[in-house]
């Protein structure tokens, strides 16, 4: 197809112009307010205090959410920190499950942030690489025009002045001399025209230097990218600590997360504010990047030059073409005039030694022609426009998408970390040592024993200490303290019979009417029927004391 624009850097022919991405349009559509809550123009102007103020207000929204979340956490801790009531182990199972699920979701959000950080890094690298290419083109144009101007001024003009001094001498052929002087004057005039045209090309580009900006961008990205990765990796480690604490029921790990989690929540909300304001600023920039370049360009650089290179429209003429053509025509005229000088001067001035001087001037003119040919290729819009498209697409498509993903990830991580700190604080407060749970189970057992004493009648029996020698002694209204039975100290049947015989002898030796331990007087020896209030049980000195069974002595 005739008149079609060739493809640029692998892009299709109908895609050689910058198009505003949808995400940039959405961010640019967000309202911008100043401190008095008046809506302002959302055009990207980083040098405007009012515009920066609107970005600060947008970035303060996550900061307000941070204050609200911290206040809510403070109220919760005030209501729960003094609750020391022990809980059974199964009472915090739901909390641990919830904490594990939220932690896994937080890890996924952090992974999204790492992905967005990589996209932003790649986009910024494309911007810096394209900027270096444009800077190389601009530097090459400045250098080539400087070389051209210096060659025309310091070499050709100086040598033409020396030739003019030689040609002032009188000769026999005055008409030839006049023709020689005229050709030399034409050469000098065209050299001056070419020099002025080269100066006009170089002068607008003299203040256009982006080397310092690119160097600062490289340094900033060299710090930002690994720093962001380190911060997100630290959050992943913190989540891993929480998961280990939940799995191992470690109260120390949960308390450590509660302390570090507050710092993580604060950092996440602050990062959300920073990413929000930065995303809106980049969206405003990507809405019309050419307009920003026009306003940020040096005063010496006309706006039509920038618009020509950012749009590269065939309807626009190259602003350097006219000056290049003037310089090329002047160099051609100077070369033609020097041809006449080279033919006449050796004939009129045979002994002047003009050969080296004439050869040097002709060589310098040819050098100027080569420089002008290279400048014609350098000032073409295709190379610069290709770098411009790569930079804008890298920043406004891949880079802005990565920045928005980091904004979403930081916002989600801030919310999830806040929930994790709340649930974690509720969890570790009720985590006790194993002895506390044992006490809870023992209390439950004692309560069950009090409610059903008939099921535990056998537990009321006690035995005398086996190291006690002789019959038990009971004084006052105190009961006997009997330790639990030890299977290793059970009596054999012979020992039990001996103990029973010894007890009967001791009771027989008691005077009548006085009883300490033994049968009451109302008892008879009938094995089938036992009289008395205790039905064969041994009495104590006080009726309020515990009644002992016969088995208590064995």
């Amino acid at each position: 197809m005739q008149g079609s624009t060739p493809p640029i850097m692998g892009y299709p022919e109908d895609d050689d112009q910058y198009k505003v991405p949808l995400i940039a349009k959405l961010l640019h559509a967000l309202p911008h307010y100043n401190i008095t809550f008046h809506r302002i123009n959302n055009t990207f102007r980083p040098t405007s205090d009012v515009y920066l103020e609107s970005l600060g207000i947008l970035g303060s929204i996550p900061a307000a959410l941070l204050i609200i979340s911290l206040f809510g956490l403070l109220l919760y801790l005030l209501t729960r920190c003094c609750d020391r009531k022990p809980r059974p182990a199964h009472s915090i199972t739901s909390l641990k499950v919830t904490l594990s699920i939220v932690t896994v979701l937080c890890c996924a959000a952090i992974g999204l942030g790492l992905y967005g950080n990589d996209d932003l890094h790649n986009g910024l690298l494309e911007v810096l690489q394209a900027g270096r290419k444009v800077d190389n083109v601009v530097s090459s144009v400045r250098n080539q025009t400087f070389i051209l101007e210096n060659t025309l001024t310091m070499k050709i003009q100086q040598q033409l002045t020396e030739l003019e001094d030689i040609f002032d001498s009188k000769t026999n052929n005055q008409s030839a001399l006049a023709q020689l002087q005229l050709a030399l004057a034409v050469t000098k005039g065209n050299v001056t025209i070419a020099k002025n045209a080269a100066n006009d090309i170089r002068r607008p580009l003299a203040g256009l230097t982006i080397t310092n900006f690119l160097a600062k961008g490289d340094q900033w990205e060299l710090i930002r990218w690994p720093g962001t990765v380190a911060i997100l990796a630290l959050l992943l480690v913190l989540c891993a600590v929480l998961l280990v604490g939940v799995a191992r029921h470690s109260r120390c790990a949960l308390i450590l997360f509660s302390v570090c989690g507050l710092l993580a929540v604060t950092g996440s909300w602050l990062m959300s504010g920073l990413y929000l304001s930065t995303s809106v600023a980049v969206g405003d920039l990507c809405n019309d990047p050419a307009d920003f370049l026009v306003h940020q360009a040096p005063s010496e650089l006309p706006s039509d030059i920038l618009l020509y290179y950012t749009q590269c429209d065939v309807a626009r003429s190259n602003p350097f073409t006219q000056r290049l053509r003037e310089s090329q025509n002047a160099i051609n005229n100077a070369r033609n005039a020097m041809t006449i000088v080279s033919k006449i001067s050796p004939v009129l001035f045979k002994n002047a030694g003009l050969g080296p001087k004439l050869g040097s001037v002709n060589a310098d003119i040819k050098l100027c022609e080569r420089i002008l040919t290279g400048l014609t290729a350098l000032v073409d819009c295709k190379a610069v426009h290709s770098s411009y498209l790569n930079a804008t697409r890298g920043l406004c498509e891949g880079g802005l998408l990565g920045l928005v993903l980091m904004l979403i990830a930081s916002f989600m991580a801030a919310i999830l970390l806040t929930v994790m700190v709340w649930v974690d604080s509720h969890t570790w407060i009720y985590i006790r040592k194993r002895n506390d749970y044992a006490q809870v189970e023992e209390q439950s057992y004692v309560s069950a024993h009090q409610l059903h004493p008939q099921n535990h009648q056998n537990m009321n029996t006690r035995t005398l200490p086996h190291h006690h020698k002789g019959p038990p002694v009971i004084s006052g209204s105190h009961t006997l303290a009997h330790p639990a039975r030890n299977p290793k100290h059970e009596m054999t049947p012979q020992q039990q019979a001996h103990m029973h015989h010894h007890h009967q002898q001791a009771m027989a030796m008691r005077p009548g009417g006085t009883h300490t331990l033994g049968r009451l007087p109302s008892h008879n020896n009938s094995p089938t029927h036992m009289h008395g209030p205790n039905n064969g049980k041994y009495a104590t000195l006080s009726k309020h004391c515990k009644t002992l069974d016969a088995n208590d002595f064995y």
Side-chain angles (χ1 to χ4, degrees):
M1 181 181 294
Q2 295 181 356
S4 62
T5 305
I8 299 175
M9 295 296 291
Y11 292 104
E13 296 183 0
D14 57 349
D15 197 22
D16 59 348
Q17 295 296 328
Y18 171 73
K19 296 179 181 179
V20 181
L22 177 61
I23 189 171
K25 294 180 179 179
L26 296 176
L27 291 172
H28 182 69
L30 291 177
H32 294 57
Y33 293 95
N34 59 5
I35 194 65
T36 58
F37 292 99
H38 290 85
R39 190 163 183 174
I40 65 171
N41 187 11
N42 54 359
T43 304
F44 183 70
R45 292 291 183 269
T47 57
S48 174
D49 295 336
V50 178
Y51 179 78
L52 295 178
E53 185 179 284
S54 65
L55 294 180
I57 292 175
L58 287 174
S60 63
I61 296 176
L65 296 177
L66 168 63
I67 295 175
I68 294 174
S69 62
L70 292 180
F71 183 73
L73 180 61
L74 177 62
L75 293 180
Y76 169 78
L77 292 178
L78 289 177
T79 57
R80 292 294 184 181
C81 66
C82 298
D83 188 0
R84 307 292 294 177
K85 185 178 180 180
R87 297 292 197 281
H90 60 80
S91 64
I92 61 171
T93 302
S94 59
L95 294 176
K96 294 168 65 176
V97 172
T98 303
L99 199 58
S100 301
I101 295 175
V102 176
T103 303
V104 172
L105 293 177
C106 185
C107 292
I110 295 173
L112 181 64
L114 290 172
Y115 182 81
N117 182 56
D118 189 64
D119 282 351
L120 178 60
H121 178 67
N122 294 332
L124 292 178
L125 289 182
E126 290 184 9
V127 172
L128 295 175
Q129 184 178 2
R132 280 189 287 268
K133 290 182 179 179
V134 174
D135 186 62
N136 291 334
V137 172
V138 174
S139 299
S140 298
V141 172
R142 282 200 304 262
N143 294 334
Q144 293 298 318
T145 53
F146 177 77
I147 294 173
L148 176 61
E149 187 178 359
N150 185 65
T151 302
L152 293 172
T153 304
M154 303 302 296
K155 292 184 178 181
I156 297 178
Q157 279 190 346
Q158 185 176 359
Q159 292 173 353
L160 291 177
T161 302
E162 294 177 357
L163 290 175
E164 188 178 13
D165 295 337
I166 296 174
F167 295 160
D168 287 339
S169 303
K170 294 181 180 181
T171 61
N172 297 326
N173 192 347
Q174 292 296 326
S175 61
L177 180 61
Q179 187 179 2
L180 178 61
Q181 291 177 349
L182 179 61
L184 186 62
V186 170
T187 303
K188 291 182 65 176
N190 283 282
V191 168
T192 302
I193 293 173
K195 181 189 69 173
N196 293 333
N199 186 44
D200 292 339
I201 295 174
R202 184 174 60 87
R203 186 176 59 252
L205 304 177
L208 185 60
T209 55
I210 58 176
T211 305
N212 295 332
F213 172 77
L214 296 175
K216 291 181 180 179
D218 287 332
Q219 293 177 358
W220 173 255
E221 186 61 17
L222 189 62
I223 297 174
R224 189 207 63 82
W225 182 73
T228 304
V229 172
I231 293 174
L232 296 179
L234 187 61
L235 291 179
L236 288 177
V237 171
L238 190 61
C239 293
V241 170
L242 180 59
L243 290 176
V244 171
V246 170
R248 296 182 61 85
H249 207 73
S250 174
R251 191 181 186 191
C252 294
L254 297 181
I255 294 176
L256 177 63
F257 178 82
S258 296
V259 177
C260 298
L262 291 176
L263 298 177
V265 168
T266 304
S268 297
W269 282 117
L270 294 179
M271 290 173 64
S272 299
L274 178 62
Y275 292 148
L276 177 59
S277 58
T278 306
S279 300
V280 174
V282 175
D284 295 337
L285 170 63
C286 294
N287 187 68
D288 193 359
D291 179 71
F292 168 71
L293 294 177
V294 169
H295 284 82
Q296 292 297 117
S299 58
E300 298 84 4
L301 184 63
S303 60
D304 59 339
I305 296 179
L306 283 174
L307 293 177
Y308 170 75
Y309 286 101
T310 55
Q311 297 178 4
C312 197
D313 191 1
V314 293
R316 291 180 177 271
S317 60
N318 192 329
F320 298 114
T321 300
Q322 184 179 358
R323 308 304 293 172
L324 281 174
R325 287 176 180 175
E326 291 178 0
S327 182
Q328 288 174 347
N329 293 332
I331 293 297
N332 290 332
N333 294 332
R335 178 171 52 80
N336 295 330
M338 281 303 299
T339 302
I340 298 174
V341 173
S342 300
K343 290 180 179 180
I344 299 176
S345 60
V347 176
L348 296 178
F349 304 95
K350 295 181 179 180
N351 299 324
L354 298 177
K357 294 183 181 297
L358 294 175
S360 177
V361 172
N362 291 325
D364 291 337
I365 289 176
K366 291 182 179 179
L367 174 62
C368 292
E369 289 179 344
R370 290 194 298 269
I371 292 175
L372 288 173
T373 303
L375 282 174
T376 302
L378 286 175
V379 299
D380 187 71
C381 67
K382 293 181 181 179
V384 177
H385 183 67
S386 175
S387 299
Y388 169 77
L389 287 179
N390 290 336
T392 52
R393 287 169 178 168
L395 177 63
C396 300
E397 293 181 3
L400 185 58
L401 177 61
L403 189 59
V404 171
L405 290 179
M406 294 177 67
L407 170 63
I408 297 174
S410 61
F411 188 80
M412 292 176 57
I415 296 177
L416 294 174
L417 285 171
T418 303
V419 175
M420 289 162 62
V421 171
W422 284 353
V423 178
D424 177 69
S425 301
H426 186 79
T427 303
W428 72 258
I429 289 177
Y430 295 130
I431 290 182
R432 300 290 185 268
K433 298 179 180 179
R434 295 184 179 273
N435 295 336
D436 295 335
Y437 293 111
Q439 293 175 4
V440 174
E441 294 175 357
E442 183 179 355
Q443 291 175 2
S444 301
Y445 173 78
V446 172
S447 299
H449 173 65
Q450 292 176 354
L451 291 175
H452 305 283
Q454 66 275 12
N455 297 332
H456 304 278
Q457 183 177 3
N458 293 332
M459 295 179 62
N460 292 330
T461 59
R462 299 291 186 268
T463 58
L464 289 175
H466 295 287
H467 62 273
H468 181 73
K469 296 180 180 181
V473 179
I474 303 175
S475 61
S477 61
H478 297 283
T479 59
L480 294 175
H482 302 284
R485 288 188 179 183
N486 191 344
K488 294 181 180 181
H489 298 282
E490 291 290 342
M491 293 184 181
T492 61
Q494 292 81 4
Q495 291 175 344
Q496 292 180 2
H498 178 72
M499 178 67 72
H500 183 66
H501 178 70
H502 177 74
H503 177 67
Q504 288 181 350
Q505 290 181 352
M507 294 301 299
M509 295 176 63
R510 289 282 184 178
T514 303
H515 297 275
T516 56
L517 295 176
R519 299 288 182 178
L520 294 177
S522 60
H523 294 178
N524 55 20
N525 296 328
S526 175
T528 60
H529 181 74
M530 296 183 180
H531 300 280
N534 296 323
N535 294 327
K537 297 180 181 179
Y538 293 94
T540 60
L541 294 179
S542 173
K543 66 181 180 179
H544 299 287
C545 297
K546 178 181 179 295
T547 304
L548 301 178
D549 292 333
N551 293 331
D552 290 342
F553 293 101
Y554 304 109

